[in-house]
């Protein structure tokens, strides 16, 4: 079951990471010997975080979202200010339980869809309490 472990607040005064960037894309095929130098730095804050005041990092446990590229132990960057839409990967609170699922808005109601055939979709009953806590914008995946 894809659940999250407590969100971490991203401190607005902290610089998360600035790393060197290669000036050209890296080929996944035959390497070019001319591409062995780096050209300046890239601020990962600017690429990963659009709104520091509403962005959190959550760690995923479980394998229910594997086909969405989200694995056990990955960290999701979650923006609480984004409007969830049909197809968004969301952090949902269903009857007090946190979970990460794909949001599906259907003619018959709301479905929290797993991205692993081992898990059934959760058709949210009408009397259940559902809160969309935030929308996942990036997955930090270990390789």
């Amino acid at each position: 079951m894809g659940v999250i472990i407590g969100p971490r607040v991203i401190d607005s005064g902290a610089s998360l990471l600035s790393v060197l960037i290669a000036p050209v894309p890296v080929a996944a095929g035959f390497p070019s010997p001319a591409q062995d130098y780096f050209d300046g730095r890239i601020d990962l804050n600017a690429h990963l975080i659009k709104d520091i005041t509403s962005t959190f990092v959550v760690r995923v446990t479980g394998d229910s979202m594997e086909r969405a590229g989200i694995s056990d132990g990955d960290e999701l960057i979650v923006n609480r200010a984004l409007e969830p839409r049909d197809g968004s990967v969301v952090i949902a609170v269903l009857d007090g339980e946190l979970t990460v699922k794909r949001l599906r808005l259907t003619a018959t109601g709301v479905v929290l869809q797993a991205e692993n055939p081992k898990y059934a979709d959760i058709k949210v009953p009408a009397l259940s309490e559902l809160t969309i806590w935030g929308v996942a914008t990036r997955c930090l995946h270990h390789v």
Side-chain angles (χ1 to χ4, degrees), residues 34-121:
Q35 297 174 355
D36 61 352
Y37 65 94
F38 290 91
D39 183 36
R41 293 194 169 274
I42 185 172
D43 180 5
L44 292 180
N45 294 321
H47 287 277
L48 299 176
I49 300 168
K50 300 301 177 206
D51 182 358
I52 194 87
T53 61
S54 62
T55 301
F56 293 81
V57 176
V58 298
R59 178 166 294 141
V60 176
T61 61
D63 62 353
S64 73
M65 295 300 288
E66 281 185 346
R67 288 195 176 166
I70 303 170
S71 300
D72 184 54
D74 286 353
E75 293 180 324
L76 298 177
I77 296 177
V78 178
N79 188 329
R80 296 198 66 197
L82 292 179
E83 185 73 27
R85 301 176 189 272
D86 181 54
S88 296
V89 173
V90 299
I91 307 303
V93 184
L94 179 60
D95 294 329
E97 300 280 330
L98 283 167
T99 187
V100 56
K101 295 288 184 276
R102 188 168 305 278
L103 179 67
R104 293 295 179 194
L105 306 174
T106 70
T108 58
V110 177
V111 176
L112 298 175
Q113 180 182 33
E115 292 282 350
N116 184 330
K118 293 190 321 188
Y119 299 93
D121 294 343

Side-chain angles (χ1 to χ4, degrees), residues 4 7-8 16 18 24 32 34 47 49 55 66 68 84-85 89 93 97 116 118 123-125 127-128 138:
I4 62 166
R8 287 186 291 156
L16 292 181
S18 173
V24 294
S32 168
H47 287 277
I49 300 168
T55 301
E66 281 185 346
R85 301 176 189 272
V89 173
V93 184
E97 300 280 330
N116 184 330
K118 293 190 321 188
K123 294 179 176 114
V124 179
L127 297 179
S128 291
R138 297 279 191 263

